[in-house]
Amino acid sequence: MKQTLVRFDNLDDTGIHLQTARNRSYIRYKPTDEPIVAAPRPHSTCPQGHIHPVHRAGEPLSQSRLLRLALARPPPTPTVATSERTALARPSAALATPAVATSERTAPLPLRPPRRPHPAAGRLVLDPACARLRPRPSICYDRRDVRLAYLSHYFPPESNAPAARVHELSRALVRAGHEVHVVTGQPNHPHGKIYPGYRAAEYRRERVDGIEVHRVPTLPAASRGVLQRGLGYMSLPTSQVAFGAARLPAVDLVLATSPQILTGVAGLALARLRRVPFVLEVRDLWPDGIVAVGALKPGHPIVRALEVVERGLYRGAAGVVSVTDSFVDHFVARGVPRERVAVVKNGIDTALFAADAAPAPLRAQLGIPADALLLLYCGTVGMAQDVGLLARAAALAGPADDLHVVVVGHGVGLQALVDEVAALGVGARFHILPSVPRRDVPGLIAAADVSAVILRDEPTFARYLPSKIFEAMAMRQPILLGVRGEAQRLVEGSGAGLAFTPGDPADALAKLRTFAALGRDGRARMGEAARAHVLAHHDRDRQADDLARFLAGIVRSGA
């Protein structure tokens, strides 16, 4: 049987037709029972523009395989060769030229594939060429959009770090062509009061930066103790499962993020109902973090119950997304295969945290002299953050230390901080301001000389990588760091700041004196090194690309 081997480009009636829409390629072809053999097709183009081998010359092809091979960028011109076993000449590397074979020249039978191909249509190729920006080989795949349900306890207009991560990663995924449905509650953090324009008992669907946001009924609870927070934590996951199962369109995968751990339970339940893979994103270690802040003691019945839940989530997850390298050993010790873990660290939105952001008028507002060293802490004042240490450091400072500390935030530890400042008598140089929307954070950082990032001195927190580090680095702001482990290695290794011993106010003051001695020029050089590092390694768009690769691999595997 004579066969026609075609290198195609929008052919009309050769048996194959290609058209491109929204970066996808579709084909129409005439089904045939004749054996189909592909001519050499040595390469295709991945979303990064790199060249990858896809299949061997002469590989037998089924009709579904033919469809998958056609999902590639077409060459500028078609070339047709006819013979019993005619092989096309090897195309040049400049032309990402697919070679497709069909039998006999017949009129095409229209066949339009679904809007998104079957998961098998995504093709994974291991290729070290895509490791140019990373030290390890990555997985490249032919274009395949992911439809994702993303469960989160927080989402803007809430302005904490979990809300920012979900929003910025989701927005970057949408820009890359993926479909993201965020399932979250009515905004009420941090005061436990529903924001104006929202209602606690309603289901509401809205579109934010291309993200489909599904807000489910919520029982708001202020961050004022384990019991009240627990009630709020338990109510939202129930709503997420019920409304997610009823209102979400078809999705390929469910991703749930912590904090808190019960959001992971909701994600696993929803994935089972939808019969799709489940992926758990871990930002905080539960219940280890609860024990570390002293909320519960080791061995407490609630802690033991949460440990059972934690292990169940790890067993049920097709993949685990970690925000630090240090968490990986924790997962492996609990039975998660290392190959099922992807590290997607915290990062920054380079458009929001621009180095040329206008400084907020903090000095004029608070009466801080222009030549004073202004130390800023902007974030949660909670049980994990030892913000009171900054007040103790200020109390140790003498008249020659022209130091002012500004704390902007809210949380369960705020009243204790206010009381400690009053008891130490440092109110003249220690200023506490309410939390602000995220859009105002860059201006606050730009107004300061040094940014503080601090956690309690607990072994669990040595594994953490606070998101405030990257925000300060993006703003060219030197960092006073009070965290051990991975965070300390990052800050000191990149030259982005100075680390002091957590829990030691005298050491913190010594590092602040070093910052003062560096002067504006010395601190500016440190800030430049910080921004260069964060732009190279912690850009949200690049992180979203890494996350999409990991999720697409899971969808393709059918895990």
Side-chain angles (χ1 to χ4, degrees):
M1 185 71 175
K2 185 177 290 186
Q3 294 182 335
T4 301
L5 304 179
V6 181
R7 202 181 304 163
F8 59 87
D9 179 23
N10 295 325
L11 303 183
D12 295 323
D13 56 354
T14 58
I16 296 180
H17 178 79
L18 177 91
Q19 62 183 12
T20 301
R22 293 183 62 191
N23 295 326
R24 299 186 185 89
S25 298
Y26 301 115
I27 64 169
R28 297 190 182 96
Y29 63 91
K30 182 181 185 305
T32 175
D33 294 330
E34 298 294 333
I36 297 176
V37 179
R41 180 177 181 267
H43 57 264
S44 68
T45 304
C46 78
Q48 288 69 39
H50 303 151
I51 302 301
H52 302 283
V54 174
H55 67 86
R56 297 183 299 275
E59 179 184 358
L61 295 177
S62 64
Q63 296 292 331
S64 61
R65 175 69 170 144
L66 176 62
L67 175 62
R68 294 200 299 274
L69 291 178
L71 299 178
R73 184 178 303 173
T77 56
T79 301
V80 180
T82 304
S83 68
E84 291 290 332
R85 288 286 177 180
T86 305
L88 294 175
R90 184 181 183 89
S92 66
L95 300 177
T97 306
V100 182
T102 185
S103 61
E104 295 300 334
R105 185 183 179 90
T106 56
L109 189 67
L111 175 64
R112 184 177 181 85
R115 185 167 62 92
R116 288 179 178 78
H118 186 273
R123 180 159 181 81
L124 292 171
V125 182
L126 286 172
D127 185 24
C130 275
R132 293 191 305 173
L133 299 178
R134 289 173 291 274
R136 66 185 187 281
S138 62
I139 298 177
C140 285
Y141 54 93
D142 291 343
R143 176 76 182 199
R144 198 249 182 233
D145 293 348
V146 176
R147 297 173 296 180
L148 169 67
Y150 201 165
L151 273 62
S152 173
H153 195 86
Y154 306 100
F155 193 78
E158 295 167 315
S159 59
N160 58 357
R165 177 181 171 92
V166 173
H167 174 228
E168 292 169 6
L169 279 178
S170 298
R171 183 177 59 192
L173 287 170
V174 168
R175 283 199 298 254
H178 306 284
E179 183 179 316
V180 182
H181 294 263
V182 171
V183 184
T184 187
Q186 309 297 332
N188 66 91
H189 179 82
H191 302 290
K193 297 180 180 179
I194 300 295
Y195 285 30
Y198 296 87
R199 292 186 298 173
E202 73 173 354
Y203 167 83
R204 175 171 178 164
R205 181 168 177 172
E206 56 191 16
R207 192 175 182 88
V208 179
D209 294 332
I211 309 161
E212 297 295 334
V213 182
H214 304 257
R215 296 194 180 274
V216 301
T218 305
L219 175 63
S223 299
R224 294 178 181 171
V226 175
L227 179 60
Q228 290 185 356
R229 295 175 72 182
L231 290 174
Y233 283 171
M234 288 186 291
S235 67
L236 181 58
T238 304
S239 294
Q240 287 174 315
V241 174
F243 283 85
R247 301 295 186 98
L248 281 178
V251 294
D252 301 316
L253 178 142
V254 174
L255 171 65
T257 184
S258 70
Q260 42 93 4
I261 194 172
L262 295 182
T263 303
V265 176
L268 179 59
L270 180 59
R272 293 295 183 264
L273 289 173
R274 288 302 188 96
R275 297 184 179 181
V276 296
F278 165 65
V279 174
L280 178 66
E281 180 182 60
V282 181
R283 296 188 70 258
D284 291 338
L285 295 178
W286 280 54
D288 300 49
I290 299 176
V291 175
V293 300
L296 294 172
K297 294 182 179 179
H300 190 283
I302 294 178
V303 173
R304 291 201 298 268
L306 290 176
E307 288 173 345
V308 172
V309 171
E310 179 193 27
R311 292 178 183 272
L313 290 175
Y314 295 156
R315 285 196 303 270
V320 176
V321 177
S322 173
V323 298
T324 75
D325 295 319
S326 303
F327 284 1
V328 176
D329 290 339
H330 175 88
F331 303 141
V332 172
R334 283 154 180 78
V336 181
R338 192 174 293 271
E339 61 272 14
R340 282 172 43 199
V341 180
V343 178
V344 181
K345 297 184 180 181
N346 283 320
I348 48 97
D349 177 0
T350 55
L352 177 61
F353 289 91
D356 57 354
L362 277 181
R363 293 181 185 270
Q365 178 184 349
L366 301 174
I368 300 174
D371 57 347
L373 185 71
L374 198 164
L375 174 66
L376 174 72
Y377 176 85
C378 185
T380 302
V381 185
M383 301 173 72
Q385 296 82 17
D386 189 11
V387 185
L389 180 139
L390 301 179
R392 296 190 290 276
L396 295 176
D401 298 306
D402 201 357
L403 171 67
H404 283 259
V405 180
V406 178
V407 172
V408 181
H410 189 276
V412 295
L414 182 60
Q415 187 57 51
L417 176 63
V418 171
D419 295 342
E420 186 169 10
V421 169
L424 293 171
V426 294
R429 61 170 61 189
F430 200 100
H431 315 273
I432 302 176
L433 300 177
S435 56
V436 298
R438 184 168 176 79
R439 64 178 178 272
D440 295 335
V441 173
L444 291 173
I445 298 175
D449 296 312
V450 180
S451 284
V453 180
I454 182 171
L455 292 175
R456 293 177 60 165
D457 190 15
E458 294 288 341
T460 295
F461 296 143
R463 302 172 178 175
Y464 282 38
L465 206 52
S467 60
K468 288 186 284 293
I469 292 176
F470 307 107
E471 296 169 2
M473 292 174 75
M475 296 299 299
R476 292 188 251 191
Q477 186 73 259
I479 298 169
L480 175 70
L481 181 71
V483 186
R484 298 183 191 271
E486 186 171 347
Q488 182 175 353
R489 293 191 294 271
L490 169 65
V491 170
E492 292 183 335
S494 63
L498 301 174
F500 68 91
T501 303
D504 188 347
D507 192 23
L509 179 60
K511 297 303 188 293
L512 287 170
R513 287 171 174 162
T514 302
F515 278 121
L518 286 172
R520 293 187 185 276
D521 291 341
R523 295 193 296 270
R525 287 191 296 271
M526 191 173 284
E528 290 292 345
R531 182 168 175 82
H533 181 88
V534 80
L535 291 180
H537 301 285
H538 298 280
D539 177 69
R540 285 289 196 207
D541 288 336
R542 188 173 302 159
Q543 292 171 333
D545 181 65
D546 291 340
L547 178 61
R549 292 172 185 283
F550 180 64
L551 299 181
I554 290 174
V555 172
R556 178 181 179 272
S557 69

